[in-house]
Amino acid sequence: KEIPFKEGVESVLTGFSTTKDGWLLTRSQPAMGAEQHSLFITSDGGRTWKKVKSDLDEVYGRVVTGAGFIDADTGFVCFRYEDGNFAPAVCMTRDGGRTWQKLKIKAAAKNSVAALPPTYSDKLIVLPALYNDGYKEWETTFISSDRGETWTETQPEVNFYGADGKEIAEQNGVYNLPGDARVAIALDGFGECTVNLSAVVKQKSLVVASNHDSGSSSVQLEAFLSAADSGTDTFTLEVTLRSGSLTLAYRTFTVRPA
């Protein structure tokens, strides 16, 4: 069935939390940082849609960066960074989109942080986000195990060690490896997931280490690297959730011979 869009719709975001329950959010052309939004829901797999009388724009009618519903009632809309007092900027509904509230999610860093579309996996709500300090971006993740009531920020702990066991410090985004080295990665809070460390060497991608965590509190990954005689290798850490619904590609690690 045709959805009765208003004129001026710039783009739409849509998804399904079950085979029958779906949502669709329209976005207007931004003007001075503001957007207008309309929310539609379906309970029959998309055959018919109903417009929701929503107060989203009254609560926070700004530029949307992502949205998602984990069931017919509980949903999230994420917004572009504008104000350090509301960052990451995420609004939540518990009544199918009729009423919304701003979430209080504490970010560890004081930099700009923008939330990306959330996903629901293994009873966890996973909210990826991007930090930006004006020079570079890097990924982080906020996780809730109580359906959005509280949130914990988690990032992989990555350490490089030389053959002598001494830790190698990152310098301007690069790890200078004195010969052979070891990388140790620890990741908490994701439940059951698969972690891959991939290398791109001479434009070819190769998984150099992989580990599947069955749901313990932490997943460990270790790989041994050898610095090439010349050139630079780039490694990417990827985390795939149990459901396979989301793969988080964390910041790349660049290594080169010392």
Side-chain angles (χ1 to χ4, degrees), residues 15-74:
F16 282 79
S17 56
T18 69
T19 56
K20 292 186 176 182
D21 297 315
W23 57 273
L24 184 148
L25 182 71
T26 69
R27 300 173 55 197
S28 70
Q29 176 73 34
M32 301 296 290
E35 284 184 348
Q36 293 181 328
H37 309 99
S38 294
L39 178 66
F40 300 84
I41 59 172
T42 179
S43 58
D44 56 13
R47 289 192 295 274
T48 60
W49 292 83
K50 175 183 177 182
K51 186 176 180 181
V52 178
K53 187 177 181 181
S54 173
D55 68 354
L56 176 62
D57 287 346
E58 286 73 36
V59 174
Y60 200 68
R62 309 300 286 176
V63 177
V64 167
T65 58
F69 275 71
I70 65 172
D71 56 37
D73 296 320
T74 310

Short mmCIF file of all heavy atoms in Angstrom, two decimals, residues 15-74:
data_model
loop_
_atom_site.label_atom_id
_atom_site.label_comp_id
_atom_site.label_asym_id
_atom_site.label_seq_id
_atom_site.Cartn_x
_atom_site.Cartn_y
_atom_site.Cartn_z
N GLY A 15 12.94 -0.30 8.68
CA GLY A 15 13.42 -1.59 9.15
C GLY A 15 12.29 -2.39 9.77
O GLY A 15 11.17 -1.89 9.95
N PHE A 16 12.60 -3.67 10.09
CA PHE A 16 11.61 -4.56 10.70
C PHE A 16 12.23 -5.19 11.94
O PHE A 16 13.38 -5.65 11.91
CB PHE A 16 11.19 -5.65 9.72
CG PHE A 16 10.21 -5.19 8.68
CD1 PHE A 16 10.63 -4.47 7.57
CD2 PHE A 16 8.85 -5.45 8.83
CE1 PHE A 16 9.73 -4.03 6.62
CE2 PHE A 16 7.94 -5.01 7.89
CZ PHE A 16 8.38 -4.30 6.78
N SER A 17 11.47 -5.22 13.03
CA SER A 17 11.93 -5.90 14.25
C SER A 17 11.47 -7.36 14.26
O SER A 17 12.06 -8.19 14.95
CB SER A 17 11.40 -5.18 15.49
OG SER A 17 9.99 -5.07 15.47
N THR A 18 10.42 -7.68 13.52
CA THR A 18 9.97 -9.05 13.28
C THR A 18 9.56 -9.14 11.81
O THR A 18 9.65 -8.15 11.07
CB THR A 18 8.77 -9.43 14.17
OG1 THR A 18 7.63 -8.69 13.75
CG2 THR A 18 9.06 -9.15 15.64
N THR A 19 9.10 -10.30 11.39
CA THR A 19 8.66 -10.43 10.00
C THR A 19 7.41 -9.60 9.73
O THR A 19 7.12 -9.27 8.58
CB THR A 19 8.36 -11.90 9.65
OG1 THR A 19 7.38 -12.40 10.58
CG2 THR A 19 9.64 -12.74 9.73
N LYS A 20 6.68 -9.22 10.78
CA LYS A 20 5.46 -8.45 10.60
C LYS A 20 5.57 -7.01 11.07
O LYS A 20 4.96 -6.11 10.49
CB LYS A 20 4.30 -9.13 11.34
CG LYS A 20 3.88 -10.47 10.74
CD LYS A 20 2.64 -11.01 11.43
CE LYS A 20 2.17 -12.30 10.77
NZ LYS A 20 0.94 -12.83 11.41
N ASP A 21 6.32 -6.77 12.14
CA ASP A 21 6.38 -5.44 12.74
C ASP A 21 7.51 -4.62 12.12
O ASP A 21 8.69 -4.99 12.21
CB ASP A 21 6.59 -5.54 14.25
CG ASP A 21 5.44 -6.22 14.95
OD1 ASP A 21 4.28 -5.88 14.63
OD2 ASP A 21 5.68 -7.09 15.80
N GLY A 22 7.15 -3.51 11.49
CA GLY A 22 8.13 -2.66 10.85
C GLY A 22 7.89 -1.19 11.13
O GLY A 22 6.84 -0.79 11.65
N TRP A 23 8.85 -0.37 10.77
CA TRP A 23 8.77 1.07 11.00
C TRP A 23 9.40 1.80 9.82
O TRP A 23 10.22 1.25 9.09
CB TRP A 23 9.50 1.46 12.29
CG TRP A 23 10.95 1.04 12.29
CD1 TRP A 23 11.46 -0.17 12.68
CD2 TRP A 23 12.06 1.79 11.80
NE1 TRP A 23 12.81 -0.22 12.48
CE2 TRP A 23 13.22 0.98 11.94
CE3 TRP A 23 12.21 3.07 11.26
CZ2 TRP A 23 14.48 1.41 11.56
CZ3 TRP A 23 13.47 3.50 10.88
CH2 TRP A 23 14.59 2.69 11.05
N LEU A 24 9.00 3.04 9.62
CA LEU A 24 9.56 3.87 8.56
C LEU A 24 9.57 5.31 9.05
O LEU A 24 8.53 5.83 9.49
CB LEU A 24 8.75 3.72 7.28
CG LEU A 24 9.26 4.44 6.04
CD1 LEU A 24 8.91 3.65 4.78
CD2 LEU A 24 8.68 5.86 5.94
N LEU A 25 10.72 5.95 8.99
CA LEU A 25 10.89 7.32 9.45
C LEU A 25 11.29 8.19 8.26
O LEU A 25 12.28 7.91 7.58
CB LEU A 25 11.95 7.40 10.53
CG LEU A 25 12.19 8.79 11.15
CD1 LEU A 25 11.01 9.18 12.04
CD2 LEU A 25 13.49 8.79 11.96
N THR A 26 10.52 9.24 7.98
CA THR A 26 10.86 10.16 6.90
C THR A 26 11.65 11.34 7.46
O THR A 26 11.47 11.74 8.61
CB THR A 26 9.60 10.69 6.18
OG1 THR A 26 8.88 11.56 7.06
CG2 THR A 26 8.72 9.54 5.74
N ARG A 27 12.52 11.88 6.60
CA ARG A 27 13.33 13.05 6.96
C ARG A 27 13.11 14.14 5.91
O ARG A 27 13.13 13.87 4.72
CB ARG A 27 14.82 12.68 6.99
CG ARG A 27 15.18 11.61 7.98
CD ARG A 27 16.65 11.22 7.79
NE ARG A 27 17.53 12.39 7.89
CZ ARG A 27 18.78 12.41 7.44
NH1 ARG A 27 19.28 11.35 6.85
NH2 ARG A 27 19.51 13.49 7.57
N SER A 28 12.95 15.36 6.38
CA SER A 28 12.84 16.49 5.47
C SER A 28 14.24 17.00 5.11
O SER A 28 15.25 16.57 5.68
CB SER A 28 12.04 17.62 6.11
OG SER A 28 12.80 18.21 7.18
N GLN A 29 14.33 17.91 4.17
CA GLN A 29 15.58 18.58 3.87
C GLN A 29 15.98 19.41 5.09
O GLN A 29 15.19 20.19 5.61
CB GLN A 29 15.40 19.51 2.66
CG GLN A 29 16.63 20.33 2.31
CD GLN A 29 17.72 19.50 1.67
OE1 GLN A 29 17.44 18.55 0.95
NE2 GLN A 29 18.96 19.84 1.95
N PRO A 30 17.21 19.24 5.61
CA PRO A 30 17.62 20.02 6.78
C PRO A 30 17.64 21.52 6.47
O PRO A 30 17.99 21.93 5.37
CB PRO A 30 19.03 19.50 7.08
CG PRO A 30 19.11 18.18 6.40
CD PRO A 30 18.25 18.28 5.19
N ALA A 31 17.26 22.31 7.47
CA ALA A 31 17.29 23.76 7.35
C ALA A 31 17.77 24.34 8.68
O ALA A 31 17.11 24.16 9.71
CB ALA A 31 15.91 24.32 7.00
N MET A 32 18.95 24.96 8.65
CA MET A 32 19.56 25.51 9.88
C MET A 32 19.69 24.43 10.95
O MET A 32 19.50 24.69 12.15
CB MET A 32 18.72 26.69 10.40
CG MET A 32 18.57 27.83 9.41
SD MET A 32 20.16 28.62 9.02
CE MET A 32 20.51 29.42 10.59
N GLY A 33 20.01 23.20 10.55
CA GLY A 33 20.23 22.13 11.50
C GLY A 33 18.97 21.43 11.97
O GLY A 33 19.04 20.48 12.75
N ALA A 34 17.81 21.87 11.49
CA ALA A 34 16.54 21.28 11.92
C ALA A 34 15.98 20.39 10.81
O ALA A 34 16.19 20.63 9.63
CB ALA A 34 15.53 22.35 12.28
N GLU A 35 15.27 19.34 11.21
CA GLU A 35 14.57 18.45 10.29
C GLU A 35 13.17 18.21 10.81
O GLU A 35 12.91 18.28 12.02
CB GLU A 35 15.27 17.09 10.18
CG GLU A 35 16.51 17.07 9.35
CD GLU A 35 17.08 15.65 9.21
OE1 GLU A 35 16.63 14.75 9.96
OE2 GLU A 35 17.96 15.47 8.38
N GLN A 36 12.28 17.87 9.89
CA GLN A 36 10.95 17.41 10.27
C GLN A 36 10.86 15.92 9.96
O GLN A 36 11.39 15.46 8.95
CB GLN A 36 9.87 18.18 9.50
CG GLN A 36 9.78 19.65 9.88
CD GLN A 36 8.69 20.38 9.12
OE1 GLN A 36 8.38 20.06 7.99
NE2 GLN A 36 8.08 21.37 9.77
N HIS A 37 10.18 15.19 10.84
CA HIS A 37 10.12 13.74 10.71
C HIS A 37 8.68 13.25 10.84
O HIS A 37 7.88 13.82 11.59
CB HIS A 37 10.99 13.08 11.80
CG HIS A 37 12.37 13.64 11.86
ND1 HIS A 37 12.75 14.60 12.78
CD2 HIS A 37 13.47 13.37 11.10
CE1 HIS A 37 14.02 14.90 12.59
NE2 HIS A 37 14.48 14.18 11.58
N SER A 38 8.39 12.19 10.12
CA SER A 38 7.12 11.48 10.27
C SER A 38 7.42 10.00 10.44
O SER A 38 8.29 9.45 9.77
CB SER A 38 6.22 11.68 9.05
OG SER A 38 5.81 13.02 8.92
N LEU A 39 6.68 9.36 11.35
CA LEU A 39 6.89 7.94 11.65
C LEU A 39 5.67 7.14 11.23
O LEU A 39 4.53 7.50 11.54
CB LEU A 39 7.15 7.75 13.15
CG LEU A 39 7.33 6.31 13.63
CD1 LEU A 39 8.60 5.70 13.04
CD2 LEU A 39 7.37 6.26 15.16
N PHE A 40 5.93 6.04 10.51
CA PHE A 40 4.87 5.11 10.11
C PHE A 40 5.22 3.72 10.63
O PHE A 40 6.40 3.35 10.70
CB PHE A 40 4.74 5.07 8.58
CG PHE A 40 4.39 6.39 7.96
CD1 PHE A 40 5.38 7.32 7.68
CD2 PHE A 40 3.08 6.68 7.66
CE1 PHE A 40 5.06 8.53 7.10
CE2 PHE A 40 2.74 7.91 7.07
CZ PHE A 40 3.75 8.83 6.80
N ILE A 41 4.19 2.93 10.98
CA ILE A 41 4.42 1.58 11.46
C ILE A 41 3.52 0.60 10.70
O ILE A 41 2.47 0.98 10.18
CB ILE A 41 4.16 1.44 12.98
CG1 ILE A 41 2.72 1.83 13.32
CG2 ILE A 41 5.17 2.26 13.77
CD1 ILE A 41 2.34 1.53 14.77
N THR A 42 3.98 -0.64 10.63
CA THR A 42 3.18 -1.71 10.04
C THR A 42 3.21 -2.91 10.97
O THR A 42 4.20 -3.15 11.66
CB THR A 42 3.72 -2.11 8.66
OG1 THR A 42 2.91 -3.19 8.13
CG2 THR A 42 5.15 -2.60 8.73
N SER A 43 2.13 -3.65 11.00
CA SER A 43 2.07 -4.88 11.80
C SER A 43 1.68 -6.08 10.94
O SER A 43 1.39 -7.15 11.47
CB SER A 43 1.06 -4.72 12.95
OG SER A 43 -0.24 -4.40 12.45
N ASP A 44 1.70 -5.88 9.62
CA ASP A 44 1.34 -6.98 8.71
C ASP A 44 2.39 -7.17 7.61
O ASP A 44 2.05 -7.49 6.47
CB ASP A 44 -0.05 -6.74 8.11
CG ASP A 44 -0.16 -5.40 7.38
OD1 ASP A 44 0.90 -4.78 7.12
OD2 ASP A 44 -1.28 -4.99 7.07
N GLY A 45 3.64 -6.94 7.98
CA GLY A 45 4.72 -7.18 7.03
C GLY A 45 4.87 -6.15 5.95
O GLY A 45 5.56 -6.38 4.95
N GLY A 46 4.24 -4.99 6.11
CA GLY A 46 4.38 -3.92 5.14
C GLY A 46 3.23 -3.76 4.17
O GLY A 46 3.26 -2.89 3.30
N ARG A 47 2.19 -4.59 4.30
CA ARG A 47 1.05 -4.46 3.39
C ARG A 47 0.29 -3.15 3.64
O ARG A 47 -0.17 -2.50 2.71
CB ARG A 47 0.12 -5.66 3.53
CG ARG A 47 0.70 -6.95 2.95
CD ARG A 47 -0.36 -8.03 2.86
NE ARG A 47 -0.84 -8.44 4.17
CZ ARG A 47 -0.27 -9.38 4.92
NH1 ARG A 47 0.80 -10.01 4.47
NH2 ARG A 47 -0.77 -9.70 6.09
N THR A 48 0.14 -2.80 4.92
CA THR A 48 -0.51 -1.54 5.28
C THR A 48 0.36 -0.80 6.29
O THR A 48 1.07 -1.42 7.08
CB THR A 48 -1.91 -1.77 5.88
OG1 THR A 48 -1.79 -2.56 7.09
CG2 THR A 48 -2.82 -2.48 4.89
N TRP A 49 0.28 0.54 6.25
CA TRP A 49 1.08 1.38 7.14
C TRP A 49 0.18 2.40 7.83
O TRP A 49 -0.80 2.87 7.25
CB TRP A 49 2.17 2.10 6.36
CG TRP A 49 3.22 1.18 5.81
CD1 TRP A 49 3.16 0.46 4.66
CD2 TRP A 49 4.47 0.87 6.41
NE1 TRP A 49 4.30 -0.28 4.49
CE2 TRP A 49 5.14 -0.04 5.55
CE3 TRP A 49 5.12 1.28 7.57
CZ2 TRP A 49 6.39 -0.56 5.83
CZ3 TRP A 49 6.38 0.79 7.86
CH2 TRP A 49 7.01 -0.12 7.00
N LYS A 50 0.53 2.73 9.05
CA LYS A 50 -0.23 3.69 9.84
C LYS A 50 0.71 4.77 10.33
O LYS A 50 1.78 4.49 10.86
CB LYS A 50 -0.89 2.98 11.03
CG LYS A 50 -1.61 3.91 11.99
CD LYS A 50 -2.16 3.14 13.18
CE LYS A 50 -2.82 4.05 14.19
NZ LYS A 50 -3.30 3.29 15.38
N LYS A 51 0.30 6.01 10.14
CA LYS A 51 1.11 7.13 10.65
C LYS A 51 0.92 7.26 12.16
O LYS A 51 -0.21 7.21 12.66
CB LYS A 51 0.74 8.43 9.94
CG LYS A 51 1.65 9.59 10.34
CD LYS A 51 1.33 10.86 9.57
CE LYS A 51 2.25 11.99 9.98
NZ LYS A 51 1.95 13.25 9.25
N VAL A 52 2.03 7.45 12.85
CA VAL A 52 2.01 7.59 14.30
C VAL A 52 1.97 9.07 14.67
O VAL A 52 2.75 9.87 14.13
CB VAL A 52 3.25 6.93 14.93
CG1 VAL A 52 3.24 7.12 16.45
CG2 VAL A 52 3.31 5.46 14.57
N LYS A 53 1.08 9.45 15.56
CA LYS A 53 1.07 10.81 16.09
C LYS A 53 2.19 10.90 17.12
O LYS A 53 2.06 10.42 18.25
CB LYS A 53 -0.27 11.13 16.73
CG LYS A 53 -0.41 12.58 17.16
CD LYS A 53 -1.80 12.88 17.71
CE LYS A 53 -1.90 14.36 18.12
NZ LYS A 53 -3.24 14.67 18.68
N SER A 54 3.30 11.49 16.71
CA SER A 54 4.54 11.43 17.49
C SER A 54 4.99 12.82 17.94
O SER A 54 4.77 13.82 17.22
CB SER A 54 5.63 10.79 16.63
OG SER A 54 6.89 10.86 17.26
N ASP A 55 5.65 12.87 19.10
CA ASP A 55 6.19 14.14 19.58
C ASP A 55 7.70 14.23 19.38
O ASP A 55 8.38 15.04 20.02
CB ASP A 55 5.85 14.34 21.07
CG ASP A 55 6.57 13.36 22.00
OD1 ASP A 55 7.25 12.43 21.49
OD2 ASP A 55 6.46 13.51 23.23
N LEU A 56 8.24 13.43 18.45
CA LEU A 56 9.69 13.38 18.26
C LEU A 56 10.27 14.76 17.94
O LEU A 56 11.28 15.17 18.52
CB LEU A 56 10.05 12.39 17.15
CG LEU A 56 11.55 12.31 16.77
CD1 LEU A 56 12.37 11.84 17.96
CD2 LEU A 56 11.75 11.37 15.59
N ASP A 57 9.65 15.50 17.02
CA ASP A 57 10.19 16.80 16.63
C ASP A 57 10.10 17.82 17.75
O ASP A 57 10.91 18.75 17.83
CB ASP A 57 9.48 17.32 15.39
CG ASP A 57 9.89 16.56 14.13
OD1 ASP A 57 10.89 15.84 14.19
OD2 ASP A 57 9.19 16.68 13.11
N GLU A 58 9.12 17.68 18.63
CA GLU A 58 9.04 18.58 19.77
C GLU A 58 10.15 18.27 20.79
O GLU A 58 10.69 19.18 21.43
CB GLU A 58 7.68 18.47 20.46
CG GLU A 58 6.53 19.11 19.70
CD GLU A 58 6.13 18.32 18.47
OE1 GLU A 58 6.20 17.07 18.53
OE2 GLU A 58 5.77 18.94 17.45
N VAL A 59 10.51 17.00 20.90
CA VAL A 59 11.56 16.62 21.84
C VAL A 59 12.94 16.97 21.29
O VAL A 59 13.78 17.56 21.98
CB VAL A 59 11.48 15.11 22.15
CG1 VAL A 59 12.66 14.66 23.02
CG2 VAL A 59 10.17 14.79 22.85
N TYR A 60 13.19 16.64 19.99
CA TYR A 60 14.49 16.94 19.39
C TYR A 60 14.39 16.80 17.88
O TYR A 60 14.64 15.73 17.33
CB TYR A 60 15.56 15.99 19.94
CG TYR A 60 16.98 16.51 19.76
CD1 TYR A 60 17.42 17.62 20.48
CD2 TYR A 60 17.85 15.90 18.88
CE1 TYR A 60 18.71 18.10 20.34
CE2 TYR A 60 19.16 16.37 18.73
CZ TYR A 60 19.58 17.47 19.46
OH TYR A 60 20.86 17.95 19.31
N GLY A 61 14.03 17.87 17.21
CA GLY A 61 13.83 17.83 15.77
C GLY A 61 15.07 18.25 15.00
O GLY A 61 15.05 19.23 14.25
N ARG A 62 16.15 17.49 15.17
CA ARG A 62 17.43 17.84 14.54
C ARG A 62 17.80 16.78 13.49
O ARG A 62 17.01 15.91 13.14
CB ARG A 62 18.52 17.99 15.60
CG ARG A 62 18.14 18.92 16.75
CD ARG A 62 17.84 20.33 16.27
NE ARG A 62 19.04 21.05 15.89
CZ ARG A 62 19.04 22.28 15.37
NH1 ARG A 62 17.90 22.90 15.16
NH2 ARG A 62 20.18 22.87 15.05
N VAL A 63 19.04 16.84 12.98
CA VAL A 63 19.46 15.99 11.86
C VAL A 63 19.69 14.56 12.33
O VAL A 63 20.53 14.30 13.21
CB VAL A 63 20.73 16.54 11.20
CG1 VAL A 63 21.19 15.61 10.08
CG2 VAL A 63 20.47 17.95 10.64
N VAL A 64 18.96 13.63 11.74
CA VAL A 64 19.02 12.22 12.13
C VAL A 64 20.19 11.52 11.45
O VAL A 64 20.47 11.73 10.26
CB VAL A 64 17.70 11.52 11.76
CG1 VAL A 64 17.81 10.00 11.86
CG2 VAL A 64 16.57 12.01 12.65
N THR A 65 20.90 10.66 12.21
CA THR A 65 21.99 9.84 11.66
C THR A 65 21.65 8.36 11.63
O THR A 65 22.36 7.57 11.01
CB THR A 65 23.28 10.03 12.47
OG1 THR A 65 23.02 9.69 13.86
CG2 THR A 65 23.77 11.47 12.39
N GLY A 66 20.56 7.95 12.28
CA GLY A 66 20.19 6.54 12.27
C GLY A 66 18.99 6.30 13.16
O GLY A 66 18.61 7.14 13.97
N ALA A 67 18.36 5.14 13.00
CA ALA A 67 17.20 4.78 13.80
C ALA A 67 17.05 3.27 13.82
O ALA A 67 17.61 2.56 12.97
CB ALA A 67 15.94 5.44 13.25
N GLY A 68 16.28 2.77 14.80
CA GLY A 68 16.03 1.34 14.88
C GLY A 68 15.04 1.03 15.98
O GLY A 68 14.99 1.71 17.00
N PHE A 69 14.23 -0.02 15.74
CA PHE A 69 13.30 -0.53 16.75
C PHE A 69 13.71 -1.95 17.08
O PHE A 69 14.04 -2.74 16.18
CB PHE A 69 11.86 -0.52 16.22
CG PHE A 69 11.14 0.78 16.39
CD1 PHE A 69 11.50 1.89 15.62
CD2 PHE A 69 10.13 0.91 17.32
CE1 PHE A 69 10.84 3.09 15.76
CE2 PHE A 69 9.45 2.13 17.47
CZ PHE A 69 9.82 3.22 16.68
N ILE A 70 13.69 -2.31 18.38
CA ILE A 70 14.02 -3.67 18.78
C ILE A 70 12.76 -4.52 18.93
O ILE A 70 12.83 -5.74 18.99
CB ILE A 70 14.85 -3.70 20.06
CG1 ILE A 70 14.06 -3.17 21.26
CG2 ILE A 70 16.15 -2.92 19.88
CD1 ILE A 70 14.78 -3.34 22.60
N ASP A 71 11.60 -3.88 19.02
CA ASP A 71 10.31 -4.56 18.99
C ASP A 71 9.27 -3.52 18.59
O ASP A 71 9.63 -2.39 18.22
CB ASP A 71 9.97 -5.23 20.33
CG ASP A 71 10.00 -4.27 21.51
OD1 ASP A 71 9.58 -3.10 21.33
OD2 ASP A 71 10.44 -4.68 22.60
N ALA A 72 8.01 -3.87 18.63
CA ALA A 72 6.98 -2.95 18.16
C ALA A 72 6.86 -1.70 19.02
O ALA A 72 6.36 -0.67 18.55
CB ALA A 72 5.63 -3.68 18.12
N ASP A 73 7.31 -1.76 20.27
CA ASP A 73 7.16 -0.63 21.18
C ASP A 73 8.43 0.19 21.38
O ASP A 73 8.38 1.40 21.55
CB ASP A 73 6.69 -1.13 22.56
CG ASP A 73 5.32 -1.76 22.51
OD1 ASP A 73 4.45 -1.22 21.79
OD2 ASP A 73 5.11 -2.79 23.17
N THR A 74 9.59 -0.47 21.38
CA THR A 74 10.84 0.15 21.81
C THR A 74 11.70 0.53 20.62
O THR A 74 12.10 -0.34 19.83
CB THR A 74 11.62 -0.80 22.73
OG1 THR A 74 10.76 -1.30 23.76
CG2 THR A 74 12.80 -0.08 23.36
#
